[in-house]
Amino acid sequence: MPTLTIAGLGPGALEQLPLGTYQRMQKHPAIYLRTEKHPLVTDLKAQNIQFKTFDQVYDTQDTFEEVYREITHQVLTLASQQDLLYAVPGHPNVAEETVRLLREAIHPTTGEAAHPLAAHINLEILPAMSFLDAMFPLIDHDPVDGFLLIDALQFDQQPPDTNRDVIITQVYDPYVASDLKVGLMNYYHGEQSIKVIKNAGIPGAEEVREIPLYQLDHQKDLDYLTSIYIARVDRFSKIHYNM
């Protein structure tokens, strides 16, 4: 019975990649990355670790939802035929939609039968440092006090809570930032201070930029390693009060 091993690549530095995962990747005969757009890829190539990616899928589908479903289907197809190591940025179980879809296909929580391609696949998950672990030292509050994680691409389904710290991912270009700013200004003043965090956890590249909310879409260097942090708002600074 083939085994699908899902591995996290961490935030981006080779020293943050778990030793066990690194050793597996040195020996595994079939490695696929969800995307080559990750800082660790340069180090993997330098270590002569051979891999393929699913980057071509992003050019064949119209939405991210369709991209993630197609990648899931391709991973299941490959893993049903051979042992496969599928690697994703950060921690596999943190803000990684393809992993959620794969877990649900192999071990459904809805009471339905497993996906036909997944009926004879063993699932193994290798954890790693998540982008959140890299961000926590850069924000103002202990996460034990609670925070809200939002995907910028699903902002209409995940509204912020001004009573809690908010971390927003997927702020990867000015167009996403512009839509996000408009949405956020329904909850925060335009002068609300926010932190734009780039390359969290990557030595020599990490950057924290504090700006007012209204300037969010003025940032021209946003990319796939950019997240936004907004601290909880005191009662005197709210636009409206939470019910």
Side-chain angles (χ1 to χ4, degrees):
M1 185 179 291
T3 295
L4 170 60
T5 301
I6 302 178
L9 296 176
L14 183 60
E15 60 263 33
Q16 296 163 343
L17 183 68
L19 178 60
T21 298
Y22 175 65
Q23 292 172 334
R24 295 276 196 99
M25 297 185 80
Q26 285 182 309
K27 301 176 181 179
H28 204 289
I31 300 174
Y32 279 77
L33 310 186
R34 175 170 64 76
T35 178
E36 191 170 344
K37 294 180 179 180
H38 190 274
L40 188 64
V41 165
T42 300
D43 292 311
L44 296 181
K45 290 179 177 179
Q47 298 299 316
N48 200 32
I49 293 175
Q50 304 297 310
F51 59 83
K52 297 179 180 178
T53 80
F54 292 106
D55 282 322
Q56 73 282 357
V57 177
Y58 289 82
D59 297 325
T60 64
Q61 306 297 321
D62 294 328
T63 67
F64 279 105
E65 181 181 13
E66 293 170 336
V67 166
Y68 297 147
R69 291 194 177 279
E70 177 60 22
I71 291 175
T72 299
H73 176 75
Q74 292 190 25
V75 170
L76 288 173
T77 300
L78 291 165
S80 68
Q81 302 166 358
Q82 62 182 327
D83 290 342
L84 188 76
L85 192 154
Y86 173 56
V88 298
H91 190 295
N93 291 341
V94 178
E96 184 56 51
E97 179 66 7
T98 60
V99 175
R100 185 191 70 79
L101 292 171
L102 287 166
R103 290 176 62 129
E104 188 63 29
I106 298 171
H107 298 302
T109 58
T110 58
E112 299 179 0
H115 190 285
L117 290 171
H120 301 291
I121 296 175
N122 288 320
L123 178 63
E124 178 186 25
I125 293 184
L126 304 180
M129 183 178 178
S130 75
F131 79 96
L132 290 174
D133 295 309
M135 286 189 66
F136 287 150
L138 308 176
I139 64 178
D140 299 331
H141 296 105
D142 187 332
V144 75
D145 296 329
F147 70 96
L148 186 62
L149 179 62
I150 295 175
D151 183 333
L153 302 180
Q154 298 181 4
F155 184 81
D156 57 337
Q157 303 170 41
Q158 300 174 298
D161 179 352
T162 57
N163 292 316
R164 302 163 68 186
D165 290 353
V166 173
I167 295 173
I168 305 175
T169 67
Q170 298 265 48
V171 190
Y172 58 80
D173 65 28
Y175 300 103
V176 173
S178 179
D179 289 343
L180 178 63
K181 180 186 78 171
V182 171
L184 287 171
M185 290 181 71
N186 290 318
Y187 300 87
Y188 301 94
H189 292 287
E191 294 288 346
Q192 171 69 38
S193 178
I194 67 173
K195 288 184 177 179
V196 177
I197 301 177
K198 293 173 54 63
N199 306 310
I202 302 176
E206 188 175 82
E207 179 183 352
V208 180
R209 187 182 308 155
E210 193 157 357
I211 62 170
L213 172 58
Y214 76 86
Q215 290 185 0
L216 175 56
D217 54 349
H218 298 178
Q219 313 305 302
K220 302 304 182 184
D221 57 349
L222 304 175
D223 60 21
Y224 61 97
L225 292 177
T226 303
S227 296
I228 303 300
Y229 168 71
I230 309 176
R232 64 197 62 182
V233 179
D234 66 69
R235 62 188 297 267
F236 300 104
S237 301
K238 293 180 183 290
I239 291 180
H240 55 73
Y241 293 98
N242 298 63
M243 298 299 181

